[in-house]
Amino acid sequence: MGAGHAHKLYRHGHSPVHGLPPHCKLAATLAFVVVVVSTPREAVWAFGLYAVLLAAVAAVARIPAGFLLRRLLIEVPFVAFAVLMPFVAEGERVQVLGMSLSVSGLWGAWNVLAKGTLGVAASVLLASTTELRALLLGLQRLKLPPLLVQIASFMIRYGDVISDELRRMSIARRSRGFEASGIRHWGVLAKTAGALFIRSYERGERVYLAMVSRGYAGSMPVIDEVAATRAQWAYASVLPVTALAVCLMGWTL
């Protein structure tokens, strides 16, 4: 499997986290997120410990705090949604800074913010320490349906190609004096989108025929198998197992 493209989230390094097999990191991240989601929202202290665990992983992986925080901006729309919940939710009200807020809405906002932020942070850490090609190999190793892995591989491989095609079309429009400045230009932009779709479809057909002519029969060859030792599995399980212990304490206290 190819797709050796580097992505903007990845930060090259030689830390113990970088060195773990990708399927170990994928399984550990998924287990951690499931534990976080399963934690009762009233256990505020538990979410603080989860944040400390992620900070420890970031420190071991040598991921700077600024690098991580900038990538967390992707959850801004969810933050905006959470901020609105105390104002629109019904039920018991409480006065906060002169504003009447819903108690259930405040708990709901906290639930979304805490669990969403921790989930996004765990995903960013995974992407920061694992190359795209390794992620695909890890998904394949975890027995994800091969068709889904192939679709993801082609999306990664040809996303930049399609973006470059759109950029060239934009340059061609501007070189002819076109500037989109109002609704009357929507027709031209719609034609651009249609032309891009046709070009992408035709490119896909050519790529498929080239693959078939080279022996493609529904599955991509795996050049290198990535295996994990028991020690690596144990090292990767530290995060979710510790989080599980915190979650169980949250349910019992």
Side-chain angles (χ1 to χ4, degrees):
M1 184 183 298
H5 293 67
H7 58 89
K8 295 180 180 179
L9 288 178
Y10 179 70
R11 184 179 178 87
H12 182 73
H14 300 283
S15 70
V17 180
H18 284 81
L20 283 175
H23 51 289
C24 293
K25 289 186 279 188
L26 282 165
T29 302
L30 176 60
F32 175 79
V33 171
V34 170
V35 170
V36 169
V37 172
S38 303
T39 304
R41 64 186 184 183
E42 293 79 11
V44 177
W45 58 271
F47 296 102
L49 290 180
Y50 293 151
V52 171
L53 287 174
L54 290 180
V57 173
V60 173
R62 303 185 185 95
I63 303 297
F67 180 90
L68 182 61
L69 291 174
R70 286 194 299 271
R71 272 108 187 120
L72 287 177
L73 292 177
I74 193 174
E75 67 164 344
V76 167
F78 299 98
V79 173
F81 171 74
V83 169
L84 292 176
M85 292 181 66
F87 296 95
V88 301
E90 299 179 353
E92 182 183 353
R93 314 293 292 188
V94 64
Q95 292 294 323
V96 178
L97 300 177
M99 297 179 293
S100 178
L101 304 178
S102 168
V103 174
S104 62
L106 286 171
W107 277 116
W110 160 252
N111 195 48
V112 171
L113 283 175
K115 296 181 179 180
T117 300
L118 290 169
V120 172
S123 301
V124 170
L125 280 175
L126 172 64
S128 301
T129 57
T130 316
E131 294 181 340
L132 280 176
R133 178 177 178 276
L135 281 174
L136 294 173
L137 290 174
L139 292 173
Q140 192 169 42
R141 184 75 177 181
L142 292 174
K143 305 302 181 183
L144 197 74
L147 183 59
L148 293 181
V149 178
Q150 291 181 46
I151 291 174
S153 176
F154 284 120
M155 286 176 60
I156 294 168
R157 182 180 292 274
Y158 290 102
D160 292 339
V161 175
I162 295 175
S163 298
D164 289 341
E165 187 74 31
L166 182 61
R167 180 179 57 82
R168 288 193 294 269
M169 295 171 71
S170 176
I171 293 174
R173 290 198 309 268
R174 291 198 302 270
S175 67
R176 290 165 175 78
F178 175 82
E179 288 292 340
S181 58
I183 190 173
R184 60 194 180 91
H185 293 133
W186 285 8
V188 177
L189 298 178
K191 292 178 181 178
T192 299
L196 180 64
F197 173 79
I198 294 174
R199 292 185 184 184
S200 301
Y201 181 83
E202 291 176 344
R203 184 187 296 272
E205 287 295 309
R206 292 195 301 270
V207 170
Y208 175 72
L209 291 176
M211 291 170 59
V212 171
S213 67
R214 289 164 174 79
Y216 175 75
S219 61
M220 299 292 288
V222 179
I223 299 175
D224 51 346
E225 283 285 351
V226 181
T229 63
R230 291 184 179 180
Q232 289 173 322
W233 275 112
Y235 188 77
S237 66
V238 171
L239 175 65
V241 169
T242 306
L244 179 60
V246 174
C247 178
L248 294 176
M249 290 174 60
W251 279 105
T252 55
L253 294 180

